[in-house]
Amino acid sequence: MTRSSEQIEAARQDSLGRLLLNAHRAHMSVFLEKIRQQGADDRINASLTNIMTHIPAEGIRLADIAKASNMTRQSVSQFVSELETIGYVKRIPDPSDGRATLVRFSHKGWDIMQRALQVKHEIESEVAKKLTPDGYAQLIIALKIVGSL
Amino acid sequence: MTRSSEQIEAARQDSLGRLLLNAHRAHMSVFLEKIRQQGADDRINASLTNIMTHIPAEGIRLADIAKASNMTRQSVSQFVSELETIGYVKRIPDPSDGRATLVRFSHKGWDIMQRALQVKHEIESEVAKKLTPDGYAQLIIALKIVGSL
DNA sequence: CAATAATAGTAAGGTTACCTGTCCATTTTG
DNA sequence: CAAAATGGACAGGTAACCTTACTATTATTG
């Protein structure tokens, strides 16, 4: 049995690696599109949203964002500066340690963050709706397994 | 009910977006590690393996790799040059079109490609083994759904 | 069938998302 | 208190792309 080039192409697209990559890209691009529709700044991107998810209401030290996000302090510093330029975040001195700066949301930033969480839930239920009843839970389990290969 | 910062951190890590990213990274890094153990050149990386998956035994035009991989011809050209340096691929003139070059595997490249396919299957069955009987098939379905969001 | 348009590939330089190396200021610690 | 550790910023580097611009060749069309 000879396989057409379409079938070969389909098989390639079905590999776990490619599916994971495509899924991640699609998810991220839908997410960015939706939060921009919610009024997020056009300069917002994957890296900046990643940083933002690590900032709690009370603020957090730059070095702690670095630990939580597995990035260097230098990279985080750069992204925090971009967030500062956009006006989503402020650097304030840490009262308990003269070396440290706390990164804290501005009103605008906090607002967008709430909308982002909302959008995240929307996307997750959209996916869940397209799966069998416990399909979403299974997906999460499977992804955790792959993530800890 | 107040949630500890560990719980909040766990919730963050459980978001679909982050799980997809982690899964993809883990998968890719395991894949690269394994094909290097199979003797792949140390210079091999995610981009190069991506290009390689688009090269069939009979060879393919650079522009067709670009279409299949959603990259520009320029980027593909660059990666093909790297593969050529490693010695996994050759550029040969397309007899049917004087403008075109065919990209074709060298013996070494073809060999590594076969090993890579093998490794890919290994990883996929390793994942399948950790899931319920139809869990892997479900995962593929779910990933396709997310990929076409 | 010559002129024009389209296509294949390359070259040069730009952007983005990181990282390393280094340095300063401020703690922390022996 | 001197030495080491920590928090952050600055400068410069790299990898994976992309855009712009160009040449060589093939296809089209008036």
Side-chain angles (χ1 to χ4, degrees), chain B residues 1 9 11 26 38 85 106 121:
Chain B
M1 180 181 111
E9 185 56 28
Q38 290 288 318
T85 304
S106 66
H121 288 312

Side-chain angles (χ1 to χ4, degrees), chain A residues 61-63 92-102:
Chain A
R61 287 188 193 174
L62 204 145
I92 60 181
D94 186 335
S96 73
D97 188 331
R99 296 165 298 183
T101 358
L102 290 177

Side-chain angles (χ1 to χ4, degrees), chain B residues 58-86:
Chain B
E58 70 275 16
I60 183 175
R61 285 188 194 176
L62 203 144
D64 290 335
I65 300 179
K67 276 172 207 152
S69 63
N70 287 311
M71 275 192 275
T72 58
R73 297 194 307 279
Q74 293 86 329
S75 299
V76 173
S77 176
Q78 175 192 314
F79 289 129
V80 166
S81 298
E82 287 179 40
L83 285 169
E84 222 175 6
T85 304
I86 293 179

Side-chain angles (χ1 to χ4, degrees), chain A residues 10 12 19 24 64 71 83 85 106 109 111 114 133 136 139 141 143 145:
Chain A
R12 194 186 341 280
L19 288 169
H24 174 250
D64 290 335
M71 275 192 274
L83 285 169
T85 303
S106 66
D111 178 63
Q114 297 320 111
Y136 189 77
L139 173 60
I141 291 171
L143 287 177
I145 288 174

Side-chain angles (χ1 to χ4, degrees), chain A residues 12 16 18 27 50 53 124, chain B residues 12 16 18 50 53 124:
Chain A
R12 194 186 341 280
L16 183 56
R18 186 139 311 261
H27 178 271
N50 175 28
T53 57
E124 289 174 0
Chain B
R12 189 185 346 278
L16 183 56
R18 186 139 310 263
N50 176 26
T53 57
E124 288 175 0

Side-chain angles (χ1 to χ4, degrees), chain A residues 79-124:
Chain A
F79 290 129
V80 166
S81 298
E82 287 179 39
L83 285 169
E84 221 175 5
T85 303
I86 293 178
Y88 281 178
V89 126
K90 285 173 291 191
R91 271 182 240 243
I92 60 181
D94 186 335
S96 73
D97 188 331
R99 296 165 298 183
T101 358
L102 290 177
V103 180
R104 192 176 286 173
F105 280 121
S106 66
H107 288 305
K108 215 166 63 170
W110 181 253
D111 178 63
I112 272 299
M113 196 57 206
Q114 297 320 111
R115 288 167 194 263
L117 290 175
Q118 189 63 36
V119 162
K120 202 185 74 178
H121 288 312
E122 264 175 43
I123 297 177
E124 289 174 0

